[in-house]
Amino acid sequence: MPRRSPAPSAADLTARVYGAGPTGALAALALARSGWQVQIVDPLPAAALLERSRAYALTHSSADLLLQLDLWAALAPACAPFRRLELCDRSLAQQVSFEAVDLPGRHGRADAAAVGWILEHRPLMEQLLAALQQHPAIALQLGVPPASFPTDAVALEVAADGHGSPRRQAARIRQWRRPYRQGCLTVQVGLRGSASDQAWELFRAEGPFAVLPLGGEAFQLVWSAPLHKLQQLVRLEPARFLDALSAALPEWLQAEVLLDQPRAFPVALELAWPLRRGGLLLVGEAAHRSHPVGGQGLNLCWRDVAALQHWAARVAAGRLAARHLPARYARSRWLDIALVLLATDALVWLFSNRQPLLLPLRRLALLLLARFRSLRRLSLSAMTDGPCRHRWR
Ligand SMILES: Cc1cc2nc3c(=O)[nH]c(=O)nc-3n(C[C@H](O)[C@H](O)[C@H](O)COP(=O)(O)OP(=O)(O)OC[C@H]3O[C@@H](n4cnc5c(N)ncnc54)[C@H](O)[C@@H]3O)c2cc1C
């Protein structure tokens, strides 16, 4: 018989979430769905939360969470599926294709034929904010300065306030940080030469370059290269920027028109430790940040939310004492987070160069991947569900 904790009191099931970005908003919805009363606060007003020009690559682990939270049906029309992912090593002129058959056991889920989806920030946040406003167990406070945040006692505090996390800093939780020499440029373009349901990860000596379908001929580009070079590129006239883009893309992909303003930003490997202190726990970029290679960032953030939901539901069901939740959460998350940070860092280290000693290793790895479906399945599953799938179960 499973051990039961005393039934939780109403005060045990109260939480405050700091930050209403993609992670905080979903964390609040996950807690409320598990029977908790939730306050969520963010200094930005709703209009500013919607504003970012970004698109996220979602994997099946994220789609599963959206399905569980009854958000998938509303978001699916805005999600552009990709059914094929082409991994290209430009220095070796070698290519490997991943398809949905390399992801077995997906039947009955969001869309068994998709390797993943690209979702733009605005439709995502519109749905999340609408769901937060409609949920009777959620008190949403946006555009409130931190000095005016509620201070009443709650059983659980969730810091989802981004990589600078003021809440984490106030709790004196330390963050380890290693900046990459590479930065990242994001831009949306009209592009010819790729199927509209095909994504590309191009490994170039100056850094990885992702080409992600947004539907039709629209694509989101995530271009990694030395930051100073990217900062010069974003200042170019559109025609000159497109010329520079043509020189970076393979000859079969032609960017024809800019659909938004290119933006460059620094990237870093960041990890806060420990992931909890007292009744406070860290989720999303407040806890970790990785290189954008492989589109792991937001999916890793949302697996934090899936784990939080799992433990929160156990507390609500009287199967875990509320005071044990932060420790259980932290124990269940460290391995996935550490492995994703290590794996993305290893990919950047291995593929962002033309080192003669590393080229044969890369050639062998790509040959093996192209030859053996079992290896493609293993690596695509790790990218999709994380290297240690649902370890908290
Ligand atoms: C410039 C930039 C561009 C990016 N582009 C892409 C991209 O193209 N594709 C992609 O997949 N990923 C991209 N990322 C990464 C992606 O944005 C993150 O993975 C994702 O936003 C993480 O979500 P989050 O909710 O954890 O953090 P955030 O989105 O950073 O949300 C944190 C929230 O906390 C709020 N906050 C701040 N201070 C406080 C406080 N004191 N109290 C309460 N709340 C507070 C903020 O207002 C914000 O709403 C980009 C990141 C950056 C910085």
Side-chain angles (χ1 to χ4, degrees), residues 52-85:
R52 294 173 179 169
S53 176
R54 282 181 201 174
Y56 304 106
L58 301 187
T59 67
H60 279 265
S61 69
S62 293
D64 287 350
L65 180 63
L66 294 173
L67 267 170
Q68 252 186 53
L69 297 176
D70 290 333
L71 292 163
W72 179 252
L75 283 169
C79 289
F82 55 95
R83 302 183 200 287
R84 202 181 169 92
L85 169 65

Coordinates of all heavy atoms in Angstrom, one line a residue, residues 52-85:
R52 N 7.5 39.9 -27.6 CA 8.7 39.4 -28.2 C 8.6 38.8 -29.6 O 7.6 38.1 -29.8 CB 9.3 38.3 -27.3 CG 9.6 38.8 -25.9 CD 9.9 37.6 -25.1 NE 10.3 37.9 -23.8 CZ 10.5 37.0 -22.8 NH1 10.2 35.7 -23.1 NH2 10.8 37.3 -21.6
S53 N 9.6 39.1 -30.4 CA 9.6 38.4 -31.7 C 10.5 37.2 -31.6 O 11.7 37.3 -31.8 CB 10.1 39.4 -32.8 OG 10.1 38.8 -34.0
R54 N 9.9 36.1 -31.3 CA 10.6 34.8 -31.1 C 9.8 33.7 -31.6 O 8.5 33.8 -31.6 CB 10.9 34.5 -29.7 CG 12.0 35.3 -29.1 CD 12.2 35.0 -27.7 NE 12.9 36.1 -27.1 CZ 13.2 36.3 -25.8 NH1 12.9 35.4 -25.0 NH2 13.9 37.3 -25.4
A55 N 10.4 32.6 -32.0 CA 9.7 31.3 -32.2 C 10.4 30.2 -31.5 O 11.6 30.2 -31.4 CB 9.6 31.1 -33.7
Y56 N 9.6 29.3 -30.9 CA 10.2 28.2 -30.1 C 10.1 26.9 -30.9 O 9.0 26.7 -31.5 CB 9.5 28.1 -28.8 CG 9.5 29.4 -28.0 CD1 8.3 30.2 -27.9 CD2 10.6 29.9 -27.4 CE1 8.3 31.4 -27.2 CE2 10.6 31.1 -26.6 CZ 9.5 31.8 -26.5 OH 9.5 33.0 -25.8
A57 N 11.1 26.1 -30.8 CA 11.0 24.7 -31.4 C 10.5 23.8 -30.2 O 11.1 23.8 -29.2 CB 12.4 24.3 -31.8
L58 N 9.3 23.3 -30.4 CA 8.7 22.4 -29.4 C 9.0 20.9 -29.7 O 8.8 20.5 -30.9 CB 7.2 22.6 -29.2 CG 6.7 24.0 -28.9 CD1 5.2 24.0 -28.7 CD2 7.5 24.6 -27.7
T59 N 9.3 20.1 -28.7 CA 9.4 18.7 -28.9 C 8.2 18.0 -28.3 O 7.3 18.7 -27.8 CB 10.7 18.1 -28.2 OG1 10.4 18.3 -26.8 CG2 11.9 18.9 -28.5
H60 N 8.1 16.7 -28.5 CA 6.9 16.0 -28.0 C 6.8 16.1 -26.5 O 5.7 16.0 -26.0 CB 7.0 14.5 -28.4 CG 6.6 14.3 -29.8 ND1 5.3 13.9 -30.2 CD2 7.2 14.4 -31.0 CE1 5.2 13.8 -31.5 NE2 6.3 14.1 -32.0
S61 N 7.9 16.2 -25.7 CA 7.7 16.4 -24.3 C 6.9 17.6 -23.9 O 6.1 17.6 -23.0 CB 9.1 16.4 -23.5 OG 9.8 17.6 -23.8
S62 N 7.1 18.7 -24.7 CA 6.3 19.9 -24.5 C 4.9 19.7 -25.0 O 4.0 20.2 -24.3 CB 7.0 21.1 -25.2 OG 8.2 21.4 -24.7
A63 N 4.7 19.1 -26.1 CA 3.4 18.9 -26.6 C 2.6 18.0 -25.6 O 1.4 18.2 -25.4 CB 3.4 18.2 -28.0
D64 N 3.2 17.0 -25.0 CA 2.5 16.1 -24.1 C 2.0 17.0 -22.9 O 0.9 16.8 -22.4 CB 3.5 15.0 -23.5 CG 3.7 14.0 -24.6 OD1 3.0 14.0 -25.6 OD2 4.6 13.1 -24.4
L65 N 2.9 17.9 -22.4 CA 2.5 18.7 -21.3 C 1.3 19.6 -21.7 O 0.3 19.8 -20.9 CB 3.7 19.6 -20.8 CG 3.4 20.5 -19.6 CD1 3.0 19.7 -18.4 CD2 4.6 21.4 -19.3
L66 N 1.4 20.2 -22.9 CA 0.3 21.1 -23.3 C -1.0 20.2 -23.4 O -2.1 20.7 -23.1 CB 0.6 21.7 -24.7 CG 1.8 22.7 -24.6 CD1 2.1 23.2 -26.0 CD2 1.4 23.9 -23.7
L67 N -0.9 19.0 -23.9 CA -2.1 18.1 -24.0 C -2.7 17.9 -22.6 O -3.9 18.0 -22.4 CB -1.6 16.8 -24.6 CG -1.8 16.5 -26.1 CD1 -1.1 15.2 -26.5 CD2 -3.2 16.5 -26.5
Q68 N -1.8 17.5 -21.7 CA -2.2 17.3 -20.3 C -2.9 18.5 -19.7 O -3.8 18.3 -18.9 CB -1.0 17.0 -19.4 CG -0.8 15.6 -19.0 CD 0.4 15.5 -18.1 OE1 0.4 16.2 -17.1 NE2 1.4 14.7 -18.4
L69 N -2.5 19.7 -20.0 CA -3.1 20.9 -19.4 C -4.2 21.4 -20.3 O -4.7 22.5 -20.1 CB -2.0 21.9 -19.3 CG -0.8 21.6 -18.3 CD1 0.2 22.7 -18.3 CD2 -1.4 21.4 -16.9
D70 N -4.7 20.6 -21.3 CA -5.8 21.0 -22.2 C -5.5 22.3 -22.9 O -6.4 23.1 -23.2 CB -7.1 21.2 -21.4 CG -7.6 19.8 -20.9 OD1 -7.3 18.8 -21.5 OD2 -8.3 19.8 -19.8
L71 N -4.3 22.5 -23.3 CA -3.9 23.7 -24.0 C -3.6 23.4 -25.5 O -3.5 24.3 -26.3 CB -2.7 24.4 -23.4 CG -2.9 25.0 -22.0 CD1 -1.6 25.3 -21.3 CD2 -3.7 26.3 -22.2
W72 N -3.4 22.1 -25.8 CA -2.9 21.7 -27.1 C -3.9 22.1 -28.2 O -3.5 22.6 -29.2 CB -2.5 20.2 -27.1 CG -2.1 19.8 -28.5 CD1 -2.7 19.1 -29.4 CD2 -0.8 20.2 -29.1 NE1 -2.0 18.9 -30.5 CE2 -0.8 19.6 -30.4 CE3 0.3 20.9 -28.7 CZ2 0.3 19.7 -31.3 CZ3 1.4 21.1 -29.6 CH2 1.4 20.5 -30.9
A73 N -5.2 21.8 -28.0 CA -6.2 22.0 -29.0 C -6.2 23.5 -29.4 O -6.3 23.8 -30.6 CB -7.6 21.6 -28.5
A74 N -6.1 24.4 -28.4 CA -6.1 25.8 -28.8 C -4.8 26.3 -29.5 O -4.8 27.2 -30.3 CB -6.3 26.6 -27.5
L75 N -3.7 25.6 -29.1 CA -2.4 26.1 -29.7 C -2.0 25.4 -31.0 O -1.3 25.9 -31.8 CB -1.3 25.8 -28.7 CG -1.2 26.8 -27.5 CD1 -0.3 26.3 -26.4 CD2 -0.7 28.2 -28.0
A76 N -2.6 24.2 -31.2 CA -2.2 23.4 -32.4 C -2.3 24.2 -33.7 O -1.4 24.1 -34.5 CB -3.0 22.1 -32.4
P77 N -3.4 25.0 -33.9 CA -3.4 25.7 -35.2 C -2.3 26.6 -35.4 O -1.9 27.0 -36.5 CB -4.8 26.5 -35.1 CG -5.6 25.8 -34.1 CD -4.6 25.2 -33.1
A78 N -1.7 27.1 -34.3 CA -0.5 28.0 -34.4 C 0.8 27.3 -34.5 O 1.9 27.9 -34.7 CB -0.5 29.0 -33.3
C79 N 0.8 26.0 -34.3 CA 2.1 25.2 -34.3 C 2.4 24.7 -35.7 O 1.5 24.0 -36.3 CB 1.9 24.0 -33.4 SG 1.9 24.4 -31.7
A80 N 3.5 25.1 -36.3 CA 3.9 24.6 -37.6 C 4.7 23.3 -37.4 O 5.8 23.3 -36.8 CB 4.8 25.6 -38.3
P81 N 4.1 22.1 -37.8 CA 4.9 20.9 -37.6 C 6.0 20.7 -38.5 O 6.0 21.2 -39.7 CB 3.8 19.8 -37.8 CG 2.8 20.4 -38.7 CD 2.9 21.9 -38.5
F82 N 7.1 20.1 -38.1 CA 8.1 19.6 -39.1 C 8.2 18.1 -39.0 O 8.2 17.6 -37.9 CB 9.4 20.4 -38.9 CG 10.1 20.3 -37.6 CD1 11.1 19.4 -37.3 CD2 9.8 21.3 -36.6 CE1 11.7 19.3 -36.1 CE2 10.4 21.2 -35.4 CZ 11.4 20.3 -35.1
R83 N 8.2 17.5 -40.2 CA 8.1 16.1 -40.2 C 9.5 15.5 -40.5 O 9.7 14.3 -40.6 CB 7.1 15.6 -41.3 CG 5.8 16.2 -40.9 CD 4.6 15.8 -41.9 NE 3.5 16.7 -41.8 CZ 2.7 16.8 -40.7 NH1 2.8 16.0 -39.7 NH2 1.7 17.7 -40.7
R84 N 10.5 16.4 -40.8 CA 11.8 15.9 -41.1 C 12.8 16.9 -40.5 O 12.6 18.1 -40.6 CB 11.9 15.9 -42.6 CG 12.9 15.0 -43.2 CD 12.8 15.2 -44.8 NE 13.9 14.7 -45.4 CZ 13.9 13.4 -45.8 NH1 12.9 12.7 -45.8 NH2 15.0 12.9 -46.4
L85 N 13.9 16.4 -40.0 CA 14.9 17.3 -39.5 C 16.2 16.8 -40.2 O 16.6 15.7 -40.1 CB 15.1 17.1 -37.9 CG 16.3 17.7 -37.3 CD1 16.3 19.3 -37.4 CD2 16.4 17.4 -35.8

